[in-house]
Every structure is written in C-alpha cells, then in structure tokens.
Amino acid sequence: MKFKSMNKKITVLTGAGFSRASGVPTFRGEDESLWSKYNPADLATPQAFSRNPTLVWDWYKWRIGIVLRTQPNQAHKVLATLEQKNAAISIITQNVDNLHERAGSSNVTHVHGEILKARCTKCTSFFTWTEKKLEKTEFIPQCLECESFYRPDVVWFGESLDTKILGKCYELLTHTDVLIIAGTSAIVFPVAEFPFLAKKYNPSVEIFEFNIERTPISSMVTQTILGPVEETLDNFFQF
Ligand code: BJW
Ligand code: ZN
C-alpha cells in the first residue's frame, strides 16, 4: 500500500518493537525480551529502587550502554525523512532511547521518560549519560548538591505519567487525521487507551498498526500491517 501524507496531520505512536532492529531489547514476547528474563517488580518500580538501588542501577547501566552504542534503523529514518519532506508529523514514543531524535525527527514526546537522563530523587539536579560517564561510574550516582541518589529519569510501574506530557499527547491524539501505531504490545496503561481516545474524538481517524503479530488493538484499527516495521513502513509511505 502507498499512503499519501500530503495535507494530513500524522501522529505516530511507537513502542519497543520500533527499536528492535537497532538491537534494543523489547519488554515482552520473544525469549530475549526483558520481562521474560527479569521480573519488573524487582527492577522497574519505585519500591524496587528503595529496596536495592545498586541492583536497579546495574540493570539500567547495562541498558544505557546498549542505547549509547546503537544506531537508528530504517523505521526511524522513514519518519525523519517524512518530516524533512514537510509532512505534519508528530511522534509519541514509549521508548526511552533517543533513536528518533538521532535519526533526525524533532517533534518527539517521550511518555515513559528517557534512559540517558538521570534525576536527583530529592532536588532538581539532573545529568545526561555519556560513554565516558558510564565507564567512570562504579557505584550509585549521587547528587553533588544534596548528596541524595540519582535515579533513571523514566516512568516505573505504579508511577503517574507527567501531566504536561500527557496533555500534549491528548492534544495531538484529538487533532490528528492519521494515527500510526508501531511496535507496541498496546497493553500498558494509560498509553493503551490512546487509540480509543483518538477514535472517540474523531470517528473518521485512520489508524494503521505495524507489528509482527496482532495485538489487543488490532480489531479496532483501520488496518494492521504485519511484518517488521523497519521493512514495512518504508513501503507504506509514498515519498
Ligand atoms: C515488532 C518488531 C518489529 C517486535 N517490528 N513490531 C489499568 C488496568 C491495569 C493496570 C493498570 C491500569 N492503569 C495503570 C495500570 C498499571 C500499569 C499497567 O499498565 N500495567 C499493565 C502491564 C497492565 N501502568 C502503570 O503503572 C503506568 N502508570 C500509571 O498508569 O499511573 C497511574 C496508576 C498507577 C497505578 C495504578 C493505577 C493507575 C506507568 C507505566 C510505566 C511503564 N514503564 C515501562 C518501563 C519504562 C522504563 C524502562 O524502560 O525501564 O515502559 S514498562 C515497559 O512497557 C516500558 C514500555 O514503554 C512499556 C510498553 O511496552 P511496549 O513499547 O509496548 O513494548 P513491548 O515489549 O510490550 O512490545 C513490543 C511489541 O513490538 C510487541 O507487540 C512485538 O510483537 C512488537 N515487535 N519486534 C514491529 N521488528
Ligand atoms: Zn540533589
């Protein structure tokens, strides 16, 4: 199928499958996925961090290393090219990597935070991870201003999403002509509600899902395009 992007507002919602071809592990599904090897309750909750910050930071440092050393794939590049060609495109990503930005997309909203950023658990201090900093940081990173621990600047289970960021998402979702949902299992709330919200506000919104398998939202979208998104997205748009 060839989709003409001219004069249409496009919102793209991406998930872990979008970065899979770049070597960033997904959370669910395949044997190598994070939650088939690790328990999220031990690593991705505020309680896990209070109990064992060293364990949590060791796991995040491993994942930060993967993100620092990887490159955007063809799917990231397709979205950046669309923007270059003046398509009205906005990206909402659940991904904590920065691969959309590194491919050249500028309108990117991170709903679950950014793994390359760390923020102080007490004050407003934060920093960005680099390869050098990762190499030098042996223990839990600690704030120079107030001596508290830093934590990864991501959204853990049981934590609320930033209200300003959610507001931006609602604005995009309720004013879009086309919603592309790619590489997400669509089971984590509140993001899992986004396609329903878009359809509620605009019943004629066109929703295209890109995934290697069907998901809980497949029955409500206009069309599901099955296959690896790094291959199928390129063919979808008429440049
Ligand atoms: C390909 C491909 C290829 C592979 N091409 N496709 C209502 C009901 C029930 C529970 C809740 C509820 N409301 C809230 C909750 C609790 C919870 C939740 O939703 N739990 C569910 C598991 C049921 N939600 C929360 O806690 C959220 N907070 C919240 O709602 O606050 C208010 C509240 C709190 C408590 C109670 C009630 C209200 C916060 C959620 C934070 C999620 N955090 C994580 C970790 C981020 C940090 C980090 O990276 O470490 O975010 S979990 C993880 O899942 C990560 C992801 O962003 C998120 C979504 O995953 P995603 O992107 O969909 O990836 P996968 O791996 O699941 O799927 C990959 C897909 O790609 C698959 O479909 C593959 O087929 C496909 N694929 N290769 C195309 N090449
Ligand atoms: Zn501090």
Side-chain angles (χ1 to χ4, degrees), residues 25-225:
T26 58
F27 293 91
R28 303 168 184 84
E30 52 183 326
D31 288 351
E32 286 308 298
S33 67
L34 295 171
W35 298 156
S36 49
K37 294 202 283 186
Y38 307 98
N39 182 353
D42 294 336
L43 297 161
T45 64
Q47 295 79 4
F49 188 70
S50 305
R51 260 194 322 266
N52 196 341
T54 305
L55 176 80
V56 172
W57 262 122
D58 282 349
W59 188 68
Y60 274 92
K61 280 192 228 161
W62 164 65
R63 291 179 55 211
I64 287 163
I66 295 175
V67 169
L68 283 172
R69 284 160 216 148
T70 192
Q71 298 299 329
N73 64 55
Q74 188 55 25
H76 298 105
K77 289 177 193 165
V78 169
L79 298 187
T81 305
L82 272 174
E83 183 180 322
Q84 263 171 24
K85 294 193 184 287
N86 293 323
I89 183 166
S90 307
I91 300 171
I92 299 172
T93 187
Q94 296 167 86
N95 297 344
V96 294
D97 63 52
N98 61 352
L99 293 175
H100 285 300
E101 291 90 337
R102 279 166 58 199
S105 291
S106 58
N107 199 356
V108 186
T109 304
H110 286 268
V111 276
H112 289 159
E114 295 179 69
I115 202 167
L116 296 186
K117 293 185 180 159
R119 67 169 199 263
C120 177
T121 48
K122 285 248 165 67
C123 75
T124 55
S125 167
F126 70 94
F127 70 86
T128 303
W129 286 102
T130 58
E131 193 76 64
K132 207 170 167 191
K133 177 120 188 142
L134 194 60
E135 248 170 57
K136 282 200 313 195
T137 308
E138 227 183 296
F139 305 107
I140 304 170
Q142 226 166 332
C143 181
L144 293 176
E145 321 277 327
C146 75
E147 295 181 356
S148 304
F149 289 152
Y150 281 104
R151 58 162 281 176
D153 193 9
V154 297
V155 183
W156 284 323
F157 283 115
E159 292 187 315
S160 296
L161 279 67
D162 183 288
T163 47
K164 263 197 195 147
I165 289 176
L166 267 182
K168 169 105 190 279
C169 293
Y170 295 150
E171 177 69 21
L172 290 172
L173 292 161
T174 54
H175 290 87
T176 197
D177 302 311
V178 181
L179 177 60
I180 298 207
I181 303 175
T184 176
S185 56
I187 62 161
V188 175
F189 287 86
V191 175
E193 288 172 338
F194 285 6
F196 299 93
L197 192 79
K199 203 162 182 177
K200 189 178 161 198
Y201 272 81
N202 175 10
S204 61
V205 65
E206 292 179 276
I207 308 183
F208 296 99
E209 179 186 36
F210 290 77
N211 204 302
I212 49 171
E213 60 185 26
R214 287 177 67 81
T215 71
I217 58 161
S218 299
S219 54
M220 66 78 71
V221 303
T222 312
Q223 194 186 349
T224 296
I225 291 114

